[in-house]
Amino acid sequence: MDRRAFLRKPATTLTTSAAAVLERPQPSGTPTGDDETVSRYANTKLPTAARSTAGLSPYVGPWGYAQAAHLLRRCLFGPTRTEITTAASQNLVQVINTLLTAPPAPAPPLNVSATDTSVAIGQTWVAQPFDQNFEGVRRTSLRSWWMGQLLGQGPSLVEKMTLFWHNHFVIELGDINDARYGYQYCALLRQHALGNIQRLTEDITVAPAMLRYLNGNQSTATAPNENYGRELLELFTVGKGPLIGPGNYTTYTEDDVQAAARVLTGWRDNATTQAGYFTASRHSTTTKLFSSAFQNTTITNQGDQEYKALIALIFAQVETARFLCRKLYRWFVYYVIDATAEAQVIQPLAQLLMQNNYNVAPVLRTLLSSEHFFDAVNMGCVIKSPLDFTVGTARQLQIAFPASTSLTGQYAMWNYLNSVTNLQQQYLGDPPNVAGWPAYWQTPQYYEMWINAVTLPRRNQFTDLMISTNGYTTSGATIKIDPIELVLTLPPATAADPNLLIAELARLLTPIELTTNQLTFLNDTLLPGLPDFEWTVEWQEYLAAPTNATKKAAVRTKLQALLRQLMGLAEYHLS
């Protein structure tokens, strides 16, 4: 499998316009023309041949740096060299145990703007009354804080799974227009990130952010709103199967949507208590009949507990488990689910999920410990999302951010990274619509949507800026890659040998072993026209006189050129 092929596909391989195969209508404001969201070179069809015959048997193959790096690249945002080498020194079971251990909940976001006069700078605003005048800066604070959680993640799956659930149970911060609700939503996703999916679904159903986002707060007995009921079935649980009749999607029908909407009537959000609450007079007390897809089950009036009966009915369906396992697979493994993967991975994972009453941790343990996950075809095959790319660059190349003692500068830099990923078409807190980011559902392009005529230059501009001497400055703080400090963290013998140095940086930054020609090219970048010993001499001279500006500039310039080329490789965009 040639994982490098995507960025060099010839135009002659395309037979139809990518736009012609979009399954869902694009939301208003979707970039068009020069702001393309689908590259001309992206997939026009998916392969049908089995990619892997490996199943869910426990992986018993070699365990070392390469395998640890693969696991952590999928589970963390840009694993550092220290995190990878630590994992490689342990066994797979130990690493998985650590990944499945949730850290304590983080402290809430803080006010860093003089605009918000409700609290002092450095204090949290999450319990303050809503004020439209403060909403903009509070929302920026929330997004910045969330970015800070990604940058400061520990060796746990919690942050990666929090983002997974954000892409699954979508809300848009800009639409709900209450950052306090947004914070509660983030806290809820993080609380249940490695927990019980059915319980998370119950809680998100009556969370004020979701009630507002999908209009559940407007749903009454006389005018049931179908928005949440429809998305609960189509996007959050059983999924839409093939259309087999008018209004019949195999896994549910239009009548089921209407019945679900009646079940969910009566819920509202309270901006003072920041909670969802039930009003009996607004609730439909009729008996709700569901189709044969749900065994013709009826749900009678149960007041404020009725929504739980609906969710229990939905989670009793095996297709709910299959739908969720397919989404987990595309998040952690690859977007192609062929017939072999469906039979050998998805179906048994779904059974495991149901056997464990929808606790997600056993499924993650089995998938991430499996022969299938460590099959060579599933290593280095994922195109990094903008968040993976940007946060990964910051973490792997050890960019130093302002400390909490410089709170304004810290939040400003976190906000800057959000602006960077927004330009790359992934904005934390605001997926483009209720379906989430198209790279996780849009067939046949999937991850290839992350790379297009807009986003690829934006990625390169970010890495070029970070490796430049000046870096990026705002609010009195500067962030940039310090290549000398990075190399000083390597073993002395590795740092002093140009070929060992290049190999070590390459295995950290790229998931695919580079070719001999690529390594030779990188050597020529570090030492243009010079023999290898010149690097050893220059590096040792710098170590002997680290305050000498000339000697420091000599090695820094060479390392900047090397890292710029490494981050410009197609492989750097893969995970």
Side-chain angles (χ1 to χ4, degrees):
M1 177 183 181
D2 186 354
R3 298 174 184 82
R4 301 177 174 89
F6 172 64
L7 294 182
R8 61 170 186 262
K9 285 182 182 178
T12 54
T13 63
L14 299 181
T15 57
T16 61
S17 166
V21 295
L22 296 180
E23 290 182 335
R24 290 175 71 94
Q26 295 299 299
S28 60
T30 296
T32 58
D34 291 338
D35 294 332
E36 69 175 13
T37 55
V38 182
S39 169
R40 294 175 298 151
Y41 307 108
N43 290 332
T44 58
K45 62 181 179 179
L46 293 177
T48 55
R51 296 178 63 253
S52 171
T53 58
L56 292 175
S57 297
Y59 174 71
V60 293
W63 178 257
Y65 186 101
Q67 292 75 28
H70 168 59
L71 176 61
L72 296 189
R73 284 187 182 108
R74 299 297 174 83
C75 296
L76 306 178
F77 294 91
T80 65
R81 181 178 179 275
T82 298
E83 288 169 338
I84 295 171
T85 55
T86 298
S89 70
Q90 301 172 334
N91 62 46
L92 177 56
V93 172
Q94 291 172 317
V95 178
I96 294 291
N97 286 344
T98 300
L99 287 168
L100 292 175
T101 300
L110 304 175
N111 176 37
V112 292
S113 172
T115 299
D116 189 347
T117 57
S118 66
V119 294
I121 289 178
Q123 300 298 312
T124 188
W125 43 263
V126 299
Q128 296 300 311
F130 174 79
D131 190 317
Q132 189 64 57
N133 294 316
F134 307 153
E135 175 61 19
V137 294
R138 288 178 179 178
R139 199 180 307 161
T140 298
S141 167
L142 174 59
R143 278 192 228 276
S144 301
W145 168 85
W146 196 345
M147 176 61 74
Q149 304 312 308
L150 304 191
L151 289 165
Q153 66 188 311
S156 169
L157 260 167
V158 163
E159 288 307 323
K160 206 63 177 278
M161 283 300 294
T162 297
L163 188 68
F164 172 83
W165 293 123
H166 174 42
N167 184 66
H168 182 75
F169 292 112
V170 171
I171 64 138
E172 298 173 61
L173 296 178
D175 282 12
I176 65 171
N177 193 43
D178 193 326
R180 305 170 312 154
Y181 283 12
Y183 169 69
Q184 280 196 349
Y185 162 83
C186 292
L188 181 61
L189 299 185
R190 190 169 281 104
Q191 174 191 346
H192 291 294
L194 301 176
N196 188 276
I197 306 174
Q198 184 169 340
R199 176 62 187 276
L200 172 57
T201 307
E202 290 176 354
D203 289 352
I204 207 76
T205 295
V206 295
M210 186 62 76
L211 287 170
R212 182 172 293 187
Y213 180 61
L214 288 178
N215 310 114
N217 58 359
Q218 301 172 15
S219 193
T220 66
T222 55
N225 189 295
E226 296 179 7
N227 285 356
Y228 184 76
R230 181 175 303 281
E231 306 306 359
L232 177 65
L233 296 175
E234 179 180 348
L235 298 177
F236 301 163
T237 56
V238 296
K240 182 188 285 188
L243 184 67
I244 59 174
N248 186 341
Y249 308 107
T250 311
T251 52
Y252 68 91
T253 69
E254 284 295 318
D255 289 342
D256 292 327
V257 172
Q258 294 166 13
R262 292 196 297 275
V263 168
L264 296 165
T265 53
W267 285 92
R268 308 178 78 178
D269 65 286
N270 186 313
T272 300
T273 63
Q274 297 186 52
Y277 70 98
F278 181 77
T279 302
S281 62
R282 293 165 63 95
H283 178 63
S284 172
T285 59
T286 61
T287 297
K288 293 83 178 178
L289 172 64
F290 290 82
S291 73
S292 59
F294 295 96
Q295 301 78 50
N296 299 308
T297 299
T298 58
I299 294 179
T300 57
N301 179 39
Q302 298 176 43
D304 64 355
Q305 298 300 301
E306 192 171 330
Y307 75 101
K308 293 181 180 179
L310 169 63
I311 290 168
L313 173 62
I314 294 170
F315 276 78
Q317 313 307 313
V318 67
E319 191 52 43
T320 296
R322 291 170 182 163
F323 181 79
L324 291 167
C325 287
R326 292 185 195 110
K327 293 199 75 169
L328 287 166
Y329 184 92
R330 290 192 171 106
W331 190 259
F332 286 106
V333 184
Y334 195 55
Y335 58 76
V336 175
I337 302 177
D338 52 50
T340 302
E342 177 71 24
Q344 296 189 184
V345 179
I346 302 302
Q347 302 286 347
L349 281 180
Q351 289 299 321
L352 181 65
L353 185 58
M354 296 189 78
Q355 289 164 10
N356 284 276
N357 299 314
Y358 284 93
N359 286 303
V360 75
V363 170
L364 293 173
R365 180 181 296 277
T366 298
L367 177 61
L368 298 174
S369 304
S370 69
E371 289 183 347
H372 187 86
F373 182 78
F374 287 100
D375 193 315
V377 300
N378 290 323
M379 300 175 74
C381 61
V382 171
I383 294 175
K384 294 175 184 175
S385 72
L387 283 166
D388 270 314
F389 181 85
T390 304
V391 177
T393 295
R395 298 187 79 248
Q396 292 191 313
L397 293 164
Q398 301 178 17
I399 294 175
F401 286 79
S404 57
T405 52
S406 177
L407 197 63
T408 301
Q410 184 183 65
Y411 270 67
M413 285 303 180
W414 293 344
N415 184 49
Y416 165 67
L417 287 198
N418 277 322
S419 71
V420 168
T421 61
N422 189 25
L423 290 172
Q424 297 171 19
Q425 298 174 355
Q426 187 178 31
Y427 197 28
L428 193 56
D430 274 277
N433 57 37
V434 70
W437 287 291
Y440 299 108
W441 57 262
Q442 182 61 77
T443 188
Q445 297 86 20
Y446 290 103
Y447 314 146
E448 297 194 353
M449 296 189 76
W450 290 132
I451 303 289
N452 56 56
V454 173
T455 60
L456 183 57
R458 296 296 192 182
R459 290 179 178 223
N460 293 336
Q461 288 165 9
F462 173 69
T463 53
D464 284 350
L465 180 60
M466 288 299 101
I467 196 57
S468 69
T469 301
N470 293 330
Y472 175 77
T473 299
T474 188
S475 299
T478 299
I479 58 170
K480 62 182 177 180
I481 298 165
D482 187 331
I484 294 178
E485 288 299 317
L486 176 67
V487 173
L488 284 171
T489 65
L490 303 179
T494 299
D497 184 306
N499 295 307
L500 293 179
L501 169 62
I502 291 167
E504 187 66 22
L505 292 174
R507 75 171 184 161
L508 171 65
L509 300 178
T510 65
I512 301 172
E513 187 174 348
L514 299 184
T515 66
T516 300
N517 286 342
Q518 286 176 307
L519 293 172
T520 299
F521 171 76
L522 292 171
N523 183 288
D524 290 340
T525 300
L526 181 67
L527 294 166
L530 299 173
D532 287 355
F533 71 80
E534 288 287 349
W535 170 256
T536 306
V537 170
E538 288 193 29
W539 180 249
Q540 290 176 340
E541 288 180 345
Y542 160 72
L543 292 179
T547 59
N548 184 296
T550 301
K551 297 183 185 302
K552 186 173 185 178
V555 295
R556 182 180 61 227
T557 301
K558 289 181 172 61
L559 290 173
Q560 285 174 323
L562 172 63
L563 288 172
R564 183 177 288 107
Q565 290 293 353
L566 265 169
M567 293 187 292
L569 294 175
E571 290 84 353
Y572 186 67
H573 297 267
L574 300 177
S575 170

